[in-house]
């Protein structure tokens, strides 16, 4: 599969008009995805990898490979297979630190360049690895800034990290450290805190880090609190200069959300409008909108309403309760949506910035979920029919 730019003159409106889909449909803007990669590659002084979990769609992976991404953070055998089906060259970083013995054995067939660990036990389980393979100790700190606590499940304390790092070197692996500030992290100083902590660990262990991986966590959706990407990069580079004045480890980042979120919009159809005005969509909390329950502020983004002929709909708006299609009453958006009064069954809601943790979190509960991805020349409306979601 080789993607080409010529010929992608499809727009969401044209697609809706032609196909009138009754299943969710995801629109991908390849140029937006490429531009975001360029932003990382030109602004971040290190290697940019992509966390496949955010969106493993082959169109996304293919676009990033064609645009020259160097590596992928993979968390499972399936994610390794997804990347290796498209490239035997790119680096794979297996940065899910908890693995079964079976997963470890299979992963060894995929030419993994870096493994993360957060305990001596899990490091021992890795057994023999090719000479020079990187092993990154995953650190956890008590920090706030991400949408939820990424230190809850993974990560070694500073004290434990010192011992693990020494063991990495004893085993003959290339010493590295990694952390994750928490997804949708809105406080740039969290990166700085982690980088200084990694420097303390390395110094206490008497080890020069070959690589420092500063994780994902870059905010895709910029509320007033979330810093611009360049200012996060500046904070990271300054912290590295301050914390490692004598040696400069190779830097790596592994964004998921920030890489792909804005490159994809989803179209959901209005299945039913109840007598009381409630709206039932063809996908909801068990599908494309699942993350809105955990991170409701991510829903503070734009949507547009189209009729079945792909025409934008305008008019006065009122707040409506919105449900997904399943038989479960908690399949309900945790806030009302301001929607035009002209809304009728068969219309489409096209929601922007749905590239990350949307398609990848879909379940098939009640037989719903899923949905194709199509490439469009743009994914935002040509006209200004945007309405604000009310929450
Ligand atoms: C190890 C690792 N790296 C990168 C990411 C991507 O994070 P984000 O999507 O917040 O950029 C995750 C997300 O869970 C992760 O666990």
């Amino acid at each position: 599969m080789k993607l080409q730019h010529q010929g992608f003159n499809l727009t969401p409106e044209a697609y809706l008009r032609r196909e009138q889909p009754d299943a969710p449909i995801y629109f991908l803007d390849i140029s937006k995805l490429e531009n975001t990669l360029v932003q990382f590659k030109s602004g971040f002084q290190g290697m940019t990898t992509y966390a496949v979990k955010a969106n493993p769609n082959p169109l996304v992976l293919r676009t990033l490979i064609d645009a020259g991404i160097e590596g992928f953070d993979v968390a499972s055998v399936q994610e390794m297979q997804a990347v290796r089906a498209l490239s035997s060259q790119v680096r794979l970083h297996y940065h899910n630190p908890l693995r079964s013995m079976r997963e470890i054995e299979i992963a060894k067939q995929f030419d993994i360049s870096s493994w993360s660990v957060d305990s001596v036990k899990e490091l021992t389980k890795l057994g023999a690895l090719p000479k020079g393979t990187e092993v990154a100790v995953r650190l956890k700190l008590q920090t706030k800034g991400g949408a939820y606590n990424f230190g809850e499940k993974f990560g070694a304390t500073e004290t434990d990290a010192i011992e693990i790092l020494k063991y990495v070197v004893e085993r003959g692996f290339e010493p590295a450290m990694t952390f994750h500030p928490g997804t949708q992290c809105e406080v740039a100083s969290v990166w700085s805190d982690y980088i200084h902590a990694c420097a303390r660990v390395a110094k206490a262990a008497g080890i020069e880090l070959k690589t420092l991986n500063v994780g994902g966590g870059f905010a895709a959706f910029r509320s007033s609190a979330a810093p611009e990407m360049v200012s996060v990069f500046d904070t990271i580079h300054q912290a590295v200069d301050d914390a490692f004045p004598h040696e400069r480890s190779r830097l790596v980042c592994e964004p998921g959300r920030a890489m792909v979120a804005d490159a994809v919009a989803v179209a959901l159809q209005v299945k039913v409008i109840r007598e009381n005005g409630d709206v039932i969509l063809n996908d909801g909390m068990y599908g494309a909108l699942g993350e809105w329950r955990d991170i409701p502020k991510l829903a503070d983004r734009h949507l547009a309403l189209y009729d079945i002929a792909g025409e934008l709909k305008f008019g006065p708006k009122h707040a409506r309760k919105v449900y997904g299609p399943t038989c479960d009453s908690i399949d309900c958006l945790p806030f009302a949506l301001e929607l035009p009064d002209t809304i009728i069954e068969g219309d489409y809601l096209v929601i922007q910035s749905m590239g990350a943790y949307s398609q990848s979190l879909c379940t098939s509960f009640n037989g719903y979920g899923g949905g194709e991805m199509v490439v469009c020349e743009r994914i935002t409306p040509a006209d200004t029919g945007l309405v604000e979601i009310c929450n």
Side-chain angles (χ1 to χ4, degrees):
M1 180 172 55
K2 189 85 184 159
L3 296 175
Q4 301 195 345
H5 289 261
Q6 297 79 13
F8 286 150
N9 51 7
L10 192 62
T11 62
E13 305 91 82
Y15 184 87
L16 296 177
R17 187 162 42 244
R18 194 181 74 201
E19 302 292 334
Q20 305 193 346
D22 60 2
I25 189 88
Y26 294 82
F27 299 121
L28 169 66
D29 182 334
I30 284 184
S31 320
K32 260 196 187 176
L33 185 53
E34 289 170 338
N35 289 342
T36 307
L37 178 58
V38 168
Q39 234 188 307
F40 271 97
K41 286 181 73 134
S42 57
F44 179 73
Q45 294 170 5
M47 182 193 295
T48 298
T49 64
Y50 168 66
V52 173
K53 57 183 76 74
N55 191 328
N57 191 295
L59 287 169
V60 170
L61 303 182
R62 178 81 267 168
T63 300
L64 293 171
I65 290 168
D66 286 352
I69 198 158
E70 290 164 274
F72 291 88
D73 159 43
V74 288
S76 66
V77 169
Q78 248 192 335
E79 290 185 358
M80 293 168 206
Q81 285 165 338
V83 177
R84 282 285 177 251
L86 300 174
S87 169
S88 56
Q89 301 298 315
V90 286
R91 291 169 65 92
L92 292 184
H93 296 173
Y94 189 5
H95 282 180
N96 177 347
L98 303 183
R99 315 166 178 94
S100 69
M101 286 309 296
R102 175 109 183 105
E103 285 172 323
I104 291 169
E105 289 319 309
I106 298 173
K108 286 181 180 178
Q109 298 159 21
F110 279 93
D111 186 20
I112 303 293
S113 305
S114 174
W115 305 64
S116 75
V117 292
D118 66 358
S119 76
V120 166
K121 174 172 163 281
E122 295 305 310
L123 171 54
T124 307
K125 269 167 70 176
L126 298 183
L129 296 173
K131 200 170 159 38
T133 301
E134 174 182 295
V135 175
V137 178
R138 168 104 175 229
L139 183 68
K140 71 168 170 196
L141 294 180
Q142 295 289 340
T143 52
K144 285 205 171 70
Y148 45 87
N149 179 7
F150 263 51
E152 178 82 21
K153 184 172 175 190
F154 297 145
T157 61
E158 273 191 63
T159 313
D160 289 345
I162 296 166
E163 295 316 308
I164 305 168
L165 193 60
K166 284 183 187 164
Y167 194 42
V168 166
V169 171
E170 248 174 66
R171 299 282 304 270
F173 305 137
E174 220 180 76
M177 287 195 73
T178 185
F179 58 85
H180 194 301
T183 200
Q184 182 65 23
C185 183
E186 301 197 336
V187 181
S189 61
V190 174
W191 275 274
S192 169
D193 294 345
Y194 263 110
I195 289 164
H196 282 277
C198 288
R200 287 194 297 274
V201 169
K203 190 169 177 205
I207 284 162
E208 198 169 304
L209 295 179
K210 291 274 186 274
T211 303
L212 179 62
N213 184 321
V214 302
F218 303 89
F221 187 65
R222 254 167 276 291
S223 66
S224 53
E228 289 298 324
M229 205 94 82
V230 281
S231 107
V232 179
F233 294 155
D234 286 347
T235 302
I236 290 171
H237 299 148
Q238 188 60 55
V240 170
D241 286 345
D242 295 343
F244 296 92
H246 304 303
E247 87 269 16
R248 185 96 197 222
S249 324
R250 175 172 63 168
L251 287 183
V252 180
C253 66
E254 49 188 24
R257 183 184 301 285
M259 185 71 80
V260 73
D262 287 344
V264 178
V266 67
L268 305 181
Q269 193 172 36
V270 176
K271 252 171 64 112
V272 174
I273 298 192
R274 302 279 282 173
E275 290 80 348
N276 64 2
D278 290 355
V279 172
I280 317 295
L281 298 175
N282 65 348
D283 203 15
M285 304 310 288
Y286 291 95
L289 309 181
E291 223 198 3
W292 290 8
R293 183 152 40 208
D294 302 321
I295 317 181
K297 77 173 151 196
L298 290 183
D300 185 15
R301 64 189 81 192
H302 290 104
L303 62 85
L305 187 68
Y306 293 87
D307 68 15
I308 197 142
E311 296 294 331
L312 268 172
K313 296 183 81 164
F314 303 95
K317 294 164 218 145
H318 283 99
R320 288 172 189 258
K321 205 165 189 178
V322 177
Y323 291 91
T326 70
C327 292
D328 198 337
S329 53
I330 61 169
D331 186 7
C332 177
L333 265 61
F335 41 78
L337 296 190
E338 287 276 338
L339 295 168
D341 292 342
T342 50
I343 188 169
I344 58 168
E345 292 178 9
D347 286 348
Y348 293 98
L349 284 181
V350 176
I351 309 170
Q352 298 295 319
S353 303
M354 295 297 286
Y357 307 110
S358 183
Q359 213 175 2
S360 62
L361 290 182
C362 278
T363 74
S364 56
F365 180 50
N366 266 193
Y368 291 102
E372 295 284 299
M373 179 176 271
V374 295
V375 175
C376 286
E377 66 169 17
R378 63 165 166 76
I379 56 173
T380 46
D383 211 335
T384 50
L386 295 174
V387 296
E388 299 286 341
I389 286 179
C390 147
N391 57 4

